[in-house]
Amino acid sequence: MNSNYKHIKVIGFDADDTLWVNETYFRDAELEFAKLMAPYETANKIDQELFKKEMENLPLYGYGIKGFVLSMVEMAIEISNHTVSNSTITKILNIGKDMLNAPVDLLDGVEAVLKQLSKDYKLIVLTKGDLLDQERKLEKSNLTSYFHHIEVMSDKQELNYSNVLDHLDIEPSEFLMIGNSLKSDILPIVNIGAEAIHIPFHTTWLHEQVSEQETRNKAYKTITSLSELKMMLN
């Protein structure tokens, strides 16, 4: 085992874009929404305004598809100056339903890695988003048997993590977090004294992006796929 991780007893995994594909569905949905709204505004402007609306609604709706759909509906009403048709609103709702019903597409090597690591470590899932949607995805993924605990968090800041680790009697010094978001999965974890490994996904939601300055002098490692994790922990 890599000497950095000899003290690790529990490994936490983010879910969306770490275990399976997620953000790609949001990008596709944004493109569909822009097409529906094309009579009213340019695609670029729609994209910017939708993001602003999502940020405005985040404290109310939290993370996940339902809040995203409600933000699209609000945007459609505003951009069209209250002239958007019922059929267009129905199409927006159907974009959301299609996202909720999308297959769970596991990332390469996920199950093999979990199978191996679960022999030597306690594995947990720490994800954020809509509870029902996350539970549905975990069920569809057929991965739940590898995890001792699954926590759907309202947010992923230092206090959220500290509360979960306290609740599960996990010492930060014995904990390693794996995730694709520097903002949500890596930096808060490093700041509470635990270990973190970053596995970037090819697309990152604007809200999850961080500046180079925020990551400077932060002690975490970056790998390109979960398969590399097995070698790091051997």
Side-chain angles (χ1 to χ4, degrees), residues 12-27:
F13 289 86
D14 170 50
D16 292 335
D17 302 317
T18 298
L19 300 177
W20 52 66
V21 173
N22 176 66
E23 197 57 30
T24 311
Y25 294 124
F26 282 87
R27 293 293 83 78

Side-chain angles (χ1 to χ4, degrees), residues 153-164:
M153 303 160 74
S154 59
D155 205 350
K156 281 181 157 182
Q157 300 197 35
E158 290 167 36
L159 184 61
N160 304 102
Y161 280 115
S162 294
N163 288 342
V164 172

Side-chain angles (χ1 to χ4, degrees), residues 56-71:
E56 193 183 299
N57 286 335
L58 208 50
L60 278 175
Y61 301 142
Y63 295 91
I65 293 169
K66 289 177 192 167
F68 175 64
V69 173
L70 288 167
S71 295

Side-chain angles (χ1 to χ4, degrees), residues 173-187:
S173 61
E174 298 173 342
F175 183 65
L176 168 65
M177 182 70 187
I178 315 293
N180 70 292
S181 168
L182 286 167
K183 183 176 179 178
S184 291
D185 305 319
I186 306 301
L187 299 179

Side-chain angles (χ1 to χ4, degrees), residues 66-128:
K66 289 177 192 167
F68 175 64
V69 173
L70 288 167
S71 295
M72 284 195 289
V73 169
E74 262 186 79
M75 272 312 307
I77 293 166
E78 286 177 23
I79 278 182
S80 70
N81 199 20
H82 294 258
T83 62
V84 68
S85 68
N86 288 341
S87 69
T88 301
I89 296 292
T90 300
K91 284 173 186 169
I92 293 168
L93 295 174
N94 286 336
I95 290 172
K97 286 178 182 175
D98 287 345
M99 291 173 78
L100 290 166
N101 289 318
V104 172
D105 186 8
L106 296 184
L107 294 173
D108 285 348
V110 164
E111 185 154 18
V113 170
L114 295 178
K115 196 171 188 176
Q116 183 175 327
L117 295 180
S118 63
K119 294 171 189 170
D120 300 311
Y121 302 92
K122 273 191 176 175
L123 306 184
I124 65 175
V125 173
L126 299 179
T127 185
K128 71 180 177 189

